[in-house]
Coordinates of all heavy atoms in Angstrom, one line a residue:
M241 N -87.4 165.7 51.1 CA -86.3 165.4 50.2 C -85.3 164.5 50.9 O -84.9 164.7 52.0 CB -85.6 166.7 49.8 CG -84.5 166.5 48.8 SD -84.0 168.1 48.2 CE -82.3 168.0 48.7
I242 N -84.9 163.4 50.3 CA -83.9 162.5 50.8 C -82.5 163.1 50.7 O -82.1 163.5 49.6 CB -84.0 161.1 50.1 CG1 -85.3 160.5 50.3 CG2 -82.8 160.2 50.5 CD1 -85.5 159.3 49.4
T243 N -81.8 163.2 51.8 CA -80.4 163.8 51.7 C -79.4 162.7 51.9 O -78.2 162.9 51.4 CB -80.2 164.9 52.8 OG1 -80.5 164.3 54.1 CG2 -81.2 166.0 52.5
H244 N -79.7 161.6 52.6 CA -78.7 160.6 52.9 C -79.4 159.2 52.9 O -80.6 159.1 53.0 CB -78.0 160.8 54.2 CG -77.1 162.0 54.2 ND1 -77.6 163.3 54.5 CD2 -75.8 162.2 54.0 CE1 -76.7 164.2 54.4 NE2 -75.5 163.5 54.1
I245 N -78.6 158.2 52.8 CA -79.1 156.8 53.0 C -78.4 156.2 54.2 O -77.2 156.3 54.3 CB -78.8 155.9 51.7 CG1 -79.5 156.5 50.5 CG2 -79.2 154.5 52.0 CD1 -81.0 156.4 50.4
C246 N -79.2 155.6 55.1 CA -78.5 154.9 56.3 C -77.6 153.8 55.8 O -78.1 152.9 55.0 CB -79.6 154.4 57.2 SG -78.9 153.5 58.6
D247 N -76.4 153.8 56.2 CA -75.4 152.8 55.7 C -75.6 151.5 56.4 O -75.1 150.5 56.0 CB -74.0 153.3 56.0 CG -73.6 154.4 55.1 OD1 -73.8 154.3 53.9 OD2 -73.0 155.4 55.5
R248 N -76.5 151.5 57.5 CA -76.7 150.2 58.2 C -77.9 149.5 57.7 O -77.9 148.3 57.4 CB -76.8 150.5 59.7 CG -76.9 149.2 60.5 CD -76.8 149.6 62.0 NE -76.9 148.4 62.8 CZ -78.0 148.0 63.3 NH1 -79.1 148.6 63.1 NH2 -78.0 146.9 64.1
C249 N -79.1 150.2 57.5 CA -80.3 149.6 57.2 C -80.7 149.9 55.7 O -81.6 149.3 55.2 CB -81.4 149.9 58.1 SG -82.0 151.7 58.0
G250 N -80.1 150.9 55.1 CA -80.4 151.3 53.7 C -81.7 152.2 53.6 O -82.1 152.5 52.5
R251 N -82.3 152.5 54.7 CA -83.5 153.4 54.6 C -83.0 154.8 54.3 O -82.0 155.3 54.8 CB -84.2 153.4 55.9 CG -85.2 152.2 56.1 CD -86.0 152.3 57.3 NE -85.9 151.1 58.0 CZ -85.8 150.9 59.3 NH1 -85.7 151.9 60.1 NH2 -85.7 149.7 59.8
P252 N -83.9 155.6 53.6 CA -83.6 157.0 53.3 C -83.7 157.8 54.5 O -84.5 157.6 55.4 CB -84.6 157.4 52.2 CG -85.7 156.4 52.3 CD -85.1 155.1 52.9
I253 N -82.8 158.9 54.6 CA -82.9 159.8 55.7 C -83.3 161.1 55.1 O -82.6 161.7 54.2 CB -81.6 159.9 56.4 CG1 -81.1 158.6 57.0 CG2 -81.6 161.0 57.5 CD1 -79.7 158.6 57.5
E254 N -84.5 161.6 55.5 CA -85.1 162.8 54.9 C -84.4 164.1 55.4 O -83.8 164.0 56.6 CB -86.5 162.9 55.2 CG -87.4 161.7 54.7 CD -87.7 161.9 53.2 OE1 -87.7 163.0 52.7 OE2 -88.1 160.8 52.6
E255 N -84.4 165.1 54.7 CA -83.9 166.4 55.1 C -84.6 166.8 56.5 O -85.8 166.7 56.6 CB -84.1 167.5 54.1 CG -83.5 168.8 54.4 CD -83.6 169.8 53.3 OE1 -84.3 169.4 52.2 OE2 -83.1 170.9 53.4
G256 N -83.8 167.2 57.5 CA -84.4 167.6 58.7 C -84.5 166.4 59.7 O -84.7 166.7 60.9
Q257 N -84.5 165.2 59.2 CA -84.5 164.0 60.2 C -83.1 163.9 60.9 O -82.1 164.3 60.3 CB -84.7 162.7 59.4 CG -86.1 162.4 59.2 CD -86.2 160.9 58.6 OE1 -85.5 160.6 57.7 NE2 -87.2 160.1 59.1
L258 N -83.2 163.3 62.1 CA -82.0 163.1 62.8 C -81.1 162.2 62.0 O -81.5 161.2 61.5 CB -82.2 162.5 64.2 CG -82.3 163.4 65.4 CD1 -82.7 162.6 66.6 CD2 -81.1 164.2 65.6
R259 N -79.8 162.5 61.9 CA -78.9 161.7 61.2 C -77.6 161.6 62.1 O -77.2 162.6 62.7 CB -78.5 162.3 59.8 CG -77.4 161.5 59.1 CD -77.2 162.0 57.7 NE -76.8 163.4 57.7 CZ -75.5 163.8 57.6 NH1 -74.6 162.9 57.6 NH2 -75.2 165.1 57.6
Y260 N -77.0 160.5 62.1 CA -75.8 160.3 62.9 C -74.6 159.9 62.0 O -74.9 159.3 61.0 CB -76.0 159.2 64.0 CG -77.0 159.7 65.0 CD1 -78.4 159.4 64.8 CD2 -76.7 160.3 66.2 CE1 -79.3 159.8 65.7 CE2 -77.6 160.7 67.1 CZ -79.0 160.4 66.8 OH -79.9 160.8 67.7
I261 N -73.4 160.2 62.4 CA -72.2 159.8 61.7 C -71.4 158.9 62.6 O -71.1 159.4 63.7 CB -71.4 161.0 61.2 CG1 -72.3 161.8 60.2 CG2 -70.1 160.5 60.5 CD1 -71.6 163.1 59.8
A262 N -71.1 157.7 62.2 CA -70.2 156.9 63.0 C -68.8 156.9 62.3 O -68.7 156.5 61.1 CB -70.7 155.4 63.0
K263 N -67.8 157.3 63.0 CA -66.5 157.3 62.4 C -65.7 156.2 63.1 O -65.6 156.2 64.4 CB -65.8 158.7 62.7 CG -66.4 159.9 62.0 CD -65.6 161.1 62.3 CE -66.2 162.3 61.5 NZ -65.4 163.5 61.6
I264 N -65.2 155.3 62.3 CA -64.5 154.2 62.9 C -63.1 154.2 62.3 O -62.9 154.3 61.1 CB -65.2 152.9 62.5 CG1 -66.6 152.9 63.1 CG2 -64.4 151.7 63.1 CD1 -67.5 151.7 62.6
E265 N -62.1 154.1 63.2 CA -60.7 153.9 62.8 C -60.2 152.6 63.3 O -60.4 152.2 64.5 CB -59.8 155.0 63.4 CG -60.1 156.4 62.8 CD -59.2 157.5 63.4 OE1 -59.6 158.0 64.4 OE2 -58.1 157.7 62.9
V266 N -59.5 151.9 62.4 CA -59.0 150.6 62.8 C -57.5 150.6 62.4 O -57.2 150.8 61.2 CB -59.6 149.4 62.0 CG1 -59.0 148.1 62.5 CG2 -61.2 149.4 62.3
F267 N -56.6 150.5 63.4 CA -55.2 150.6 63.1 C -54.4 149.7 63.9 O -54.8 149.2 65.0 CB -54.7 152.1 63.3 CG -55.1 152.7 64.6 CD1 -54.2 152.6 65.7 CD2 -56.2 153.4 64.8 CE1 -54.5 153.1 66.9 CE2 -56.6 154.0 66.0 CZ -55.7 153.9 67.1
A268 N -53.2 149.4 63.4 CA -52.4 148.4 64.1 C -51.9 149.0 65.4 O -51.4 150.1 65.5 CB -51.2 148.1 63.2
A269 N -52.0 148.2 66.5 CA -51.6 148.7 67.8 C -50.1 148.5 67.9 O -49.5 147.5 67.4 CB -52.3 147.8 68.9
A270 N -49.4 149.4 68.5 CA -48.0 149.3 68.6 C -47.6 149.2 70.1 O -47.9 150.2 70.9 CB -47.3 150.6 68.0
D271 N -47.1 148.1 70.5 CA -46.7 147.9 71.8 C -45.2 148.4 71.9 O -44.5 148.4 70.9 CB -46.8 146.4 72.2 CG -48.2 145.9 72.2 OD1 -49.1 146.7 72.6 OD2 -48.4 144.7 71.9
P272 N -44.8 148.7 73.1 CA -43.4 149.2 73.3 C -42.5 148.0 72.9 O -42.7 146.9 73.2 CB -43.3 149.4 74.8 CG -44.7 149.6 75.3 CD -45.5 148.8 74.4
L273 N -41.4 148.4 72.2 CA -40.4 147.5 71.7 C -39.5 147.1 72.9 O -39.0 148.0 73.6 CB -39.6 148.0 70.6 CG -40.3 148.1 69.2 CD1 -39.3 148.7 68.2 CD2 -40.6 146.7 68.7
E274 N -39.2 145.8 72.9 CA -38.2 145.4 73.9 C -37.1 144.7 73.1 O -37.3 143.7 72.5 CB -38.7 144.4 74.9 CG -37.8 144.1 76.0 CD -38.4 143.2 77.1 OE1 -39.5 143.5 77.4 OE2 -37.7 142.2 77.5
I275 N -35.9 145.4 73.0 CA -34.9 144.9 72.1 C -33.8 144.2 73.0 O -33.3 144.8 74.0 CB -34.2 146.0 71.3 CG1 -35.3 146.6 70.4 CG2 -33.0 145.5 70.5 CD1 -34.8 147.9 69.7
T276 N -33.5 142.9 72.7 CA -32.6 142.2 73.5 C -31.2 142.1 72.8 O -31.1 142.5 71.6 CB -33.1 140.8 73.8 OG1 -33.1 140.1 72.5 CG2 -34.5 140.7 74.4
L277 N -30.2 141.6 73.5 CA -28.9 141.5 72.9 C -29.0 140.5 71.8 O -28.4 140.7 70.7 CB -27.9 141.0 74.0 CG -26.5 140.8 73.5 CD1 -25.9 142.1 73.0 CD2 -25.6 140.2 74.6
E278 N -29.8 139.4 71.9 CA -30.0 138.4 70.9 C -30.6 139.1 69.6 O -30.1 138.8 68.5 CB -31.0 137.3 71.3 CG -30.4 136.3 72.2 CD -31.4 135.2 72.6 OE1 -32.5 135.2 72.0 OE2 -31.1 134.5 73.5
D279 N -31.5 140.1 69.8 CA -32.0 140.8 68.6 C -30.9 141.5 67.9 O -30.9 141.5 66.7 CB -33.1 141.7 69.1 CG -34.4 141.1 69.6 OD1 -34.7 140.0 69.1 OD2 -35.0 141.6 70.5
L280 N -30.1 142.2 68.7 CA -29.0 143.0 68.1 C -28.0 142.1 67.4 O -27.3 142.5 66.4 CB -28.3 143.8 69.1 CG -29.2 144.9 69.8 CD1 -28.5 145.6 70.9 CD2 -29.7 145.9 68.7
L281 N -27.8 140.9 67.9 CA -26.7 140.0 67.3 C -27.3 139.2 66.1 O -26.5 138.6 65.3 CB -26.2 139.1 68.3 CG -25.4 139.8 69.5 CD1 -25.0 138.8 70.5 CD2 -24.3 140.5 69.0
R282 N -28.6 139.1 66.0 CA -29.2 138.3 64.9 C -29.0 139.0 63.5 O -29.1 140.2 63.4 CB -30.7 138.2 65.2 CG -31.3 137.0 64.6 CD -32.7 136.8 65.1 NE -33.6 137.8 64.5 CZ -34.6 138.5 65.2 NH1 -34.8 138.2 66.4 NH2 -35.3 139.4 64.6
N283 N -28.8 138.2 62.5 CA -28.7 138.7 61.1 C -30.1 138.8 60.6 O -30.7 137.8 60.3 CB -27.8 137.8 60.3 CG -27.7 138.4 58.9 OD1 -28.3 139.4 58.5 ND2 -26.9 137.7 58.1
T284 N -30.6 140.0 60.5 CA -32.0 140.3 60.1 C -32.1 140.5 58.6 O -33.2 140.7 58.1 CB -32.6 141.5 60.8 OG1 -31.7 142.6 60.6 CG2 -32.7 141.2 62.3
R285 N -31.0 140.4 57.9 CA -31.1 140.7 56.4 C -32.0 139.8 55.7 O -32.8 140.3 54.9 CB -29.6 140.6 55.9 CG -29.5 141.0 54.4 CD -29.7 142.5 54.4 NE -30.4 142.8 53.1 CZ -30.7 144.1 52.8 NH1 -30.5 145.1 53.6 NH2 -31.3 144.3 51.7
S286 N -32.0 138.5 56.0 CA -32.8 137.6 55.3 C -34.3 137.8 55.6 O -35.2 137.7 54.8 CB -32.4 136.1 55.5 OG -32.6 135.8 56.9
E287 N -34.6 138.1 56.9 CA -35.9 138.4 57.3 C -36.4 139.7 56.6 O -37.6 139.7 56.1 CB -36.0 138.7 58.8 CG -35.8 137.4 59.7 CD -35.7 137.7 61.1 OE1 -36.4 138.6 61.6 OE2 -34.9 137.1 61.8
M288 N -35.6 140.7 56.5 CA -36.0 141.9 55.8 C -36.2 141.7 54.3 O -37.2 142.2 53.7 CB -34.8 143.0 55.9 CG -34.7 143.5 57.3 SD -36.1 144.6 57.8 CE -35.8 146.0 56.8
D289 N -35.4 140.8 53.7 CA -35.6 140.5 52.3 C -36.9 139.8 52.1 O -37.6 140.0 51.1 CB -34.4 139.6 51.8 CG -33.1 140.4 51.6 OD1 -33.2 141.7 51.6 OD2 -32.0 139.8 51.6
A290 N -37.2 138.8 53.0 CA -38.5 138.1 52.9 C -39.7 139.0 53.0 O -40.7 138.9 52.3 CB -38.5 137.0 53.9
L291 N -39.6 140.0 54.0 CA -40.7 140.9 54.2 C -40.9 141.8 52.9 O -42.0 142.1 52.5 CB -40.3 141.8 55.4 CG -40.9 141.4 56.7 CD1 -40.3 142.3 57.8 CD2 -42.4 141.3 56.8
L292 N -39.7 142.3 52.4 CA -39.8 143.1 51.2 C -40.4 142.4 50.0 O -41.2 142.9 49.2 CB -38.4 143.7 50.8 CG -37.9 144.8 51.8 CD1 -36.4 145.1 51.4 CD2 -38.8 146.0 51.7
E293 N -40.1 141.1 49.9 CA -40.6 140.3 48.8 C -42.1 140.1 49.0 O -42.9 140.2 48.0 CB -39.9 138.9 48.9 CG -40.1 138.1 47.6 CD -39.4 136.8 47.6 OE1 -38.2 136.8 48.0 OE2 -40.0 135.8 47.3
Q294 N -42.6 139.9 50.3 CA -44.0 139.9 50.5 C -44.7 141.2 50.2 O -45.8 141.2 49.6 CB -44.3 139.6 52.0 CG -44.1 138.2 52.4 CD -44.3 138.0 53.9 OE1 -44.5 139.0 54.7 NE2 -44.3 136.8 54.4
C295 N -44.1 142.3 50.5 CA -44.7 143.6 50.3 C -44.8 143.9 48.8 O -45.7 144.5 48.3 CB -43.9 144.7 50.9 SG -44.0 144.7 52.7
E296 N -43.8 143.4 48.0 CA -43.8 143.7 46.6 C -45.0 143.0 45.9 O -45.4 143.5 44.8 CB -42.5 143.1 45.9 CG -41.3 144.0 46.2 CD -40.0 143.4 45.7 OE1 -40.0 142.3 45.2 OE2 -39.0 144.0 45.9
K297 N -45.6 142.0 46.5 CA -46.7 141.3 45.9 C -48.1 142.0 46.2 O -49.1 141.7 45.6 CB -46.8 139.9 46.4 CG -45.7 139.0 46.0 CD -45.7 137.6 46.7 CE -44.4 136.9 46.4 NZ -44.3 135.8 47.3
L298 N -48.0 143.0 47.1 CA -49.2 143.7 47.5 C -49.3 145.1 46.9 O -48.2 145.7 46.7 CB -49.3 143.8 49.0 CG -49.4 142.5 49.7 CD1 -49.2 142.7 51.2 CD2 -50.6 141.7 49.4
T299 N -50.5 145.7 46.7 CA -50.6 147.0 46.2 C -50.4 148.0 47.4 O -50.5 147.5 48.6 CB -51.9 147.3 45.6 OG1 -52.9 147.2 46.6 CG2 -52.2 146.3 44.5
E300 N -50.2 149.2 47.1 CA -50.1 150.2 48.2 C -51.3 150.2 49.1 O -51.2 150.4 50.3 CB -49.9 151.6 47.5 CG -49.6 152.7 48.6 CD -49.4 154.1 47.9 OE1 -49.0 154.1 46.7 OE2 -49.6 155.1 48.6
E301 N -52.5 150.1 48.4 CA -53.8 150.1 49.2 C -53.8 148.9 50.1 O -54.3 149.0 51.3 CB -54.9 150.1 48.2 CG -56.3 150.3 48.9 CD -57.4 150.3 47.9 OE1 -57.2 150.6 46.7 OE2 -58.5 149.9 48.3
E302 N -53.5 147.7 49.6 CA -53.5 146.6 50.5 C -52.5 146.7 51.6 O -52.9 146.3 52.8 CB -53.1 145.3 49.7 CG -54.1 144.9 48.7 CD -53.7 143.8 47.7 OE1 -52.5 143.8 47.3 OE2 -54.5 143.0 47.3
L303 N -51.4 147.3 51.4 CA -50.4 147.5 52.5 C -51.0 148.5 53.5 O -50.9 148.3 54.7 CB -49.1 148.0 52.0 CG -48.2 147.0 51.2 CD1 -47.1 147.7 50.4 CD2 -47.7 145.9 52.1
M304 N -51.6 149.5 53.0 CA -52.2 150.5 54.0 C -53.3 149.9 54.8 O -53.5 150.2 56.0 CB -52.8 151.7 53.2 CG -51.9 152.9 53.0 SD -51.1 153.5 54.5 CE -52.4 154.3 55.4
R305 N -54.2 149.1 54.2 CA -55.3 148.5 54.9 C -54.8 147.6 56.0 O -55.5 147.3 57.0 CB -56.2 147.7 53.9 CG -57.0 148.6 53.1 CD -58.0 147.8 52.2 NE -59.1 147.2 52.9 CZ -60.2 147.8 53.2 NH1 -60.4 149.0 52.7 NH2 -61.2 147.2 53.9
D306 N -53.6 147.1 56.0 CA -53.0 146.3 57.0 C -52.6 147.1 58.2 O -52.5 146.6 59.3 CB -51.8 145.5 56.6 CG -52.1 144.2 55.8 OD1 -53.3 143.9 55.8 OD2 -51.2 143.6 55.3
V307 N -52.5 148.4 58.0 CA -52.0 149.3 59.1 C -53.1 150.2 59.6 O -53.3 150.5 60.8 CB -50.8 150.1 58.5 CG1 -50.3 151.1 59.6 CG2 -49.7 149.2 58.1
Y308 N -53.9 150.8 58.6 CA -54.8 151.9 59.0 C -56.0 151.9 58.1 O -55.8 151.9 56.9 CB -54.1 153.2 59.0 CG -55.1 154.4 59.4 CD1 -55.3 154.7 60.7 CD2 -55.7 155.1 58.4 CE1 -56.2 155.7 61.1 CE2 -56.6 156.1 58.7 CZ -56.8 156.5 60.1 OH -57.6 157.5 60.4
V309 N -57.2 151.9 58.6 CA -58.4 152.0 57.8 C -59.4 152.9 58.6 O -59.5 152.8 59.8 CB -59.1 150.6 57.6 CG1 -60.3 150.8 56.7 CG2 -58.2 149.6 57.1
K310 N -60.0 153.8 57.9 CA -61.0 154.7 58.4 C -62.3 154.6 57.7 O -62.4 154.5 56.5 CB -60.5 156.1 58.3 CG -61.4 157.2 59.0 CD -60.7 158.5 58.9 CE -61.6 159.6 59.6 NZ -61.0 160.9 59.4
F311 N -63.4 154.5 58.5 CA -64.8 154.4 57.9 C -65.6 155.6 58.4 O -65.5 156.0 59.6 CB -65.5 153.1 58.3 CG -64.8 151.9 57.9 CD1 -63.9 151.2 58.8 CD2 -65.0 151.4 56.6 CE1 -63.3 150.0 58.4 CE2 -64.3 150.2 56.2 CZ -63.5 149.5 57.1
N312 N -66.5 156.1 57.6 CA -67.5 157.1 58.0 C -68.9 156.5 57.5 O -69.1 156.3 56.3 CB -67.3 158.4 57.3 CG -66.2 159.2 58.0 OD1 -66.2 159.3 59.2 ND2 -65.3 159.8 57.2
F313 N -69.8 156.3 58.5 CA -71.1 155.8 58.1 C -72.2 156.7 58.6 O -72.1 157.3 59.7 CB -71.3 154.4 58.9 CG -70.4 153.3 58.5 CD1 -69.5 152.9 59.4 CD2 -70.4 152.8 57.2 CE1 -68.6 151.8 59.0 CE2 -69.5 151.8 56.8 CZ -68.6 151.3 57.8
D314 N -73.2 156.9 57.7 CA -74.4 157.7 58.1 C -75.4 156.7 58.7 O -75.6 155.6 58.1 CB -75.0 158.3 56.8 CG -74.2 159.5 56.3 OD1 -73.8 160.3 57.1 OD2 -74.0 159.5 55.0
L315 N -75.9 157.1 59.8 CA -76.9 156.2 60.5 C -78.2 157.0 60.8 O -78.2 158.1 61.1 CB -76.3 155.7 61.8 CG -75.1 154.9 61.8 CD1 -74.6 154.6 63.2 CD2 -75.3 153.6 61.0
C316 N -79.3 156.3 60.6 CA -80.6 156.8 61.0 C -80.7 156.7 62.5 O -79.9 156.1 63.1 CB -81.8 156.1 60.3 SG -82.0 154.4 60.8
R317 N -81.8 157.2 63.1 CA -82.0 157.2 64.5 C -82.0 155.8 65.1 O -81.4 155.5 66.1 CB -83.3 158.0 64.9 CG -83.6 158.0 66.3 CD -83.1 159.2 67.0 NE -83.7 159.2 68.4 CZ -82.9 159.1 69.5 NH1 -81.6 158.9 69.4 NH2 -83.4 159.2 70.7
A318 N -82.8 155.0 64.4 CA -83.0 153.6 64.9 C -81.6 152.8 64.9 O -81.3 152.1 65.8 CB -84.0 152.8 64.1
C319 N -80.9 153.0 63.8 CA -79.6 152.3 63.8 C -78.6 152.9 64.7 O -77.7 152.1 65.2 CB -79.1 152.4 62.3 SG -80.0 151.3 61.2
Q320 N -78.6 154.2 65.0 CA -77.7 154.8 66.0 C -78.0 154.1 67.3 O -77.0 153.8 68.0 CB -77.9 156.3 66.0 CG -77.0 157.0 67.0 CD -77.6 157.1 68.4 OE1 -78.7 156.8 68.7 NE2 -76.8 157.6 69.3
K321 N -79.3 154.0 67.7 CA -79.6 153.4 69.0 C -79.1 152.0 69.1 O -78.5 151.5 70.1 CB -81.1 153.4 69.2 CG -81.7 154.7 69.6 CD -83.2 154.5 69.9 CE -83.8 155.7 70.6 NZ -85.2 155.5 70.8
A322 N -79.3 151.2 68.0 CA -78.8 149.8 68.0 C -77.3 149.7 68.0 O -76.7 148.9 68.7 CB -79.4 149.1 66.8
Y323 N -76.7 150.6 67.3 CA -75.2 150.6 67.1 C -74.5 150.9 68.5 O -73.6 150.2 68.9 CB -74.8 151.5 66.0 CG -73.3 151.5 65.8 CD1 -72.7 150.4 65.1 CD2 -72.4 152.4 66.4 CE1 -71.3 150.3 65.0 CE2 -71.1 152.3 66.2 CZ -70.5 151.3 65.5 OH -69.2 151.2 65.3
V324 N -75.0 151.9 69.1 CA -74.3 152.3 70.4 C -74.6 151.3 71.5 O -73.8 151.2 72.5 CB -74.6 153.8 70.8 CG1 -74.1 154.8 69.8 CG2 -76.1 153.9 71.1
T325 N -75.7 150.6 71.4 CA -75.9 149.6 72.4 C -75.0 148.4 72.3 O -74.5 147.9 73.3 CB -77.4 149.0 72.2 OG1 -78.3 150.1 72.4 CG2 -77.7 148.0 73.3
D326 N -74.6 148.0 71.1 CA -73.7 146.9 70.9 C -73.0 147.0 69.6 O -73.3 146.4 68.6 CB -74.6 145.6 70.8 CG -73.7 144.3 70.9 OD1 -72.4 144.5 71.0 OD2 -74.3 143.3 70.8
P327 N -71.9 147.9 69.6 CA -71.2 148.2 68.3 C -70.5 147.0 67.7 O -70.2 147.0 66.5 CB -70.2 149.3 68.7 CG -70.2 149.3 70.2 CD -71.4 148.6 70.7
L328 N -70.2 146.0 68.5 CA -69.4 144.9 67.8 C -70.3 143.7 67.5 O -69.7 142.6 67.1 CB -68.3 144.5 68.8 CG -67.2 145.5 69.0 CD1 -66.2 145.0 70.0 CD2 -66.6 146.0 67.7
S329 N -71.6 143.8 67.6 CA -72.4 142.7 67.2 C -72.4 142.5 65.7 O -72.1 143.5 65.0 CB -73.9 142.9 67.6 OG -74.5 143.8 66.7
P330 N -72.5 141.3 65.2 CA -72.4 141.1 63.7 C -73.4 142.0 62.9 O -73.1 142.5 61.9 CB -72.8 139.6 63.5 CG -72.4 139.0 64.8 CD -72.7 140.1 65.9
A331 N -74.6 142.3 63.5 CA -75.6 143.1 62.8 C -75.1 144.6 62.7 O -75.4 145.3 61.8 CB -76.9 143.1 63.5
S332 N -74.3 145.0 63.7 CA -73.8 146.4 63.7 C -72.6 146.6 62.9 O -72.2 147.7 62.6 CB -73.5 146.8 65.1 OG -74.7 146.9 65.9
T333 N -71.9 145.5 62.5 CA -70.6 145.7 61.8 C -70.7 145.2 60.4 O -69.7 145.1 59.7 CB -69.5 144.9 62.5 OG1 -69.9 143.6 62.6 CG2 -69.2 145.5 63.9
R334 N -72.0 145.1 59.9 CA -72.1 144.7 58.5 C -71.5 145.7 57.5 O -71.5 146.9 57.8 CB -73.6 144.6 58.1 CG -74.2 143.3 58.5 CD -75.6 143.3 58.1 NE -76.3 144.3 58.9 CZ -77.6 144.7 58.7 NH1 -78.3 144.1 57.8 NH2 -78.2 145.6 59.4
Ligands
LIG19 ZN1 -80.7 152.8 59.6

């Protein structure tokens, strides 16, 4: 009985066959802030207004995808082997 489909190659994974789950999180990296005196003296109101105007054109989902995305993929044995060997190859990130 087929219980899952490999998200990489599309082959069925039968009940009892080895199956792997790849969990991938992609999120915006936050570097430590360095605030200078110039930053504190700058009028940021117009920059904030421009940012808010940009945000208003995007949906909540689009805004979230810019910050954090999580994927869960089912992999068959062959795809697990290929994926862990080179996770960032174009074939592995389809
Ligand atoms: Zn596969």
Side-chain angles (χ1 to χ4, degrees):
M241 184 172 117
I242 297 169
T243 58
H244 294 83
I245 301 291
C246 176
D247 288 315
R248 187 171 178 269
C249 71
R251 278 187 229 134
I253 301 171
E254 302 278 340
E255 187 175 1
Q257 272 188 316
L258 266 178
R259 175 174 64 91
Y260 296 85
I261 297 173
K263 293 183 177 184
I264 301 172
E265 289 181 273
V266 182
F267 51 91
D271 293 327
L273 284 176
E274 187 177 318
I275 300 171
T276 64
L277 181 60
E278 279 180 16
D279 292 327
L280 295 174
L281 296 175
R282 205 172 70 221
N283 183 355
T284 56
R285 187 70 215 175
S286 62
E287 291 173 37
M288 291 290 289
D289 288 344
L291 270 174
L292 288 172
E293 198 178 309
Q294 284 177 353
C295 290
E296 285 173 0
K297 295 172 188 164
L298 300 170
T299 66
E300 184 180 337
E301 188 180 333
E302 288 170 327
L303 289 168
M304 266 311 286
R305 287 182 73 88
D306 278 353
V307 180
Y308 178 84
V309 184
K310 183 177 181 182
F311 299 97
N312 282 313
F313 298 111
D314 289 312
L315 299 176
C316 69
R317 174 94 171 115
C319 287
Q320 182 269 355
K321 280 184 170 180
Y323 183 77
V324 297
T325 300
D326 189 3
L328 294 181
S329 78
S332 293
T333 55
R334 278 180 296 173

